Amino acid sequence: MKSRSVLALVAVTALSLTGCAMGGTGPAATSAPAVSASAKPTGSITVWSWDVAATALKRLATEYQSSHPDTTIDVVDIGYDNAYDKISVGLQAGSGLPDLVTIETDHASGYLGQFPQGFVKLDSVIGDKKADFDPSKWAAATGTDGGIYMVPWDSGTVALYYRSDYLKAAGVDPNSLTTWDALIAAGEKIKAATGHTLMSIDVSSGATFGMLMQQQGAWIFDSQGNVSVNSPQAVQALTVLKTIHDKGLLKNVKGWDGRVSSTKAGDSAVHPEAVWWIGTLEGEMKELSGKFGVVPLPAFGDSARTAANGGSNLAVPAQAKNPTLAADFAAWVLADAKNQASMMEKEGLFPAYLPALAEPIFNQPDKYFGGQKVYQLFAEQTAKIPPVNFTSDAAKASDIVGNAVVAAVLNGKDPKTVLDDAAKQIATATGRQIAG
C-alpha cells in the first residue's frame, strides 16, 4: 500500500483527541487480551480496510469461508480519508470498532503506545513467525511489553529507480551508483549531458530524509525512545540532500501529484521510491516503458542499501466480538506464501511475509523495465530493511523535522545546527530526552 504520509509520520488522530494520554510510549500492558491458537474459529467478523487492500481481503475472504464453512467475513471499505478518525474515536471510547482493522505501519507504534490494552496480543497465533517477516514491520507491530499485536501485511521496500536513457547518454553505468558520493558525481555528468536534474523530491515532506536516515539504522528517535534526529547519521543524510540541491541537481516538487507529474515529464534521472512506485509508473506512465531500471539505494559506507516507505498491518481490537476468528483470518491471509503472492499479482501489494518472496511471480522479468527482474531486487532487499522506533510521538515530530529539512536544503542552513535545534524542539514537545 503506497505511503500517503509525511516523513512516514502521519499525525495519528488519536494523539490529538481531548482526553488521550500524551507523551512517552505509554505503559506496558499488563493484562492485554490474547487469543488461543487452539480455539476453533467460527461465527462472523467485520473487517475495516480501504482501496486495494479491501479488494484483496474481500477476494480472500471468499476463499477462507469456503474452507471454513461455519464462518462469515464481512469486509467493509471505509475509505482512507476518515479511517483514522474512526479508529481513534473507537479506541478512545472503547467501543465502535470492528473485529479486524487495517493500520499502516507508521501509525502502529503510536496506537500501541497510547492504547497499550487496545489490541489483542497475537503471540499464540504468529509469535513463532518473527523470522518470517520483514524485521522493520515486525518491530513496528510489537508492543511495549514485547508482544506482537499486529500481523504485518505489505512492505514499502525502497530502491533507486533510474532513467536508463539519461544514464546511457551521460555514460553512467547504473551498477556504479553504489554510494551517495558516486550518485552525486553521476548527477553532475547527467546534467551536463542531458540538462536534467538528478532527482525530484518534495523537500518539505522530509520523506527522502527519512529514507536516508533509516538505511543507516537511524531515526528521529532511537531504540530507547530518546530524540536522535541530530545523530551523526541524520546529519550525514541531510548533508547529502543539501549537497544535491547546492549543486543544482535537485528539483523541489509539491506532494504526490508533484512527484508524479515531474516523473512523467522526465525532469530528473533518478527516483528513490518504494516498490509500489512500480504500479504508478506502469499505470500512469505507459509511454515511458523501457526507459526505467532499478538498483539498490546508494550506501553510506557499509549501511543498508534500502529503507521503507509505506506498508500496513492487520490488528484485532480488544473490543472485537470474535477475536478468535479475526486473528485466525488475519494469520491465514498474511502468514501464507500463496495468499501473499496472489495479493502481489492481483492487487500489487508487496508482501512483508518473507517466504512469499520465493514464489515464481517475484522472479519474472518485467517488460516495462526492459526485462529486468525488478521484484527480485526488492525481494532481496526486504529482509535487510533496518527497523526503527516510530514511538507514540511521531506526529509531534513531523512538522519540526520537515521545517529543519527545508531550512538546510532550500535555505542553506547548516545541517548539524538545524538538526540540533530540531532535537531541542522535539524534546520540549514530547518530554523525551535527547540521546547521547
Side-chain angles (χ1 to χ4, degrees), residues 101-259:
V101 294
T102 300
I103 295 178
E104 290 169 305
T105 300
D106 49 13
H107 290 68
S109 293
Y111 277 136
L112 293 176
Q114 292 298 322
F115 303 99
Q117 298 186 51
F119 298 93
V120 172
K121 186 183 292 189
L122 303 175
D123 288 41
S124 64
V125 180
I126 62 161
D128 61 344
K129 297 184 181 296
K130 179 178 180 179
D132 290 336
F133 283 93
D134 172 345
S136 68
K137 301 302 174 185
W138 188 274
T142 299
T144 55
D145 63 349
I148 186 73
Y149 285 86
M150 302 182 187
V151 187
W153 188 340
D154 59 315
S155 288
T157 311
V158 172
L160 189 73
Y161 296 77
Y162 63 87
R163 282 291 297 260
S164 53
D165 50 344
Y166 294 178
L167 269 64
K168 183 177 180 181
V172 173
D173 180 358
N175 293 315
S176 71
L177 307 178
T178 56
T179 68
W180 284 100
D181 286 343
L183 179 64
I184 293 170
E188 292 182 290
K189 292 179 64 176
I190 292 166
K191 187 173 183 181
T194 69
H196 295 288
T197 54
L198 180 61
M199 65 174 67
S200 300
I201 64 171
D202 181 352
V203 175
S204 65
S205 77
T208 307
F209 172 60
M211 294 177 198
L212 271 59
M213 277 197 297
Q214 186 179 13
Q215 71 171 121
Q216 299 177 77
W219 196 244
I220 296 164
F221 305 98
D222 65 15
S223 59
Q224 285 76 47
N226 296 318
V227 180
S228 57
V229 73
N230 59 340
S231 69
Q233 295 88 346
V235 172
Q236 189 168 218
L238 190 53
T239 299
V240 161
L241 294 180
K242 183 178 186 300
T243 300
I244 293 173
H245 175 268
D246 290 351
K247 288 180 176 291
L249 302 177
L250 188 147
K251 180 179 176 64
N252 184 33
V253 299
K254 186 64 177 176
W256 172 260
D257 290 342
R259 287 156 60 195

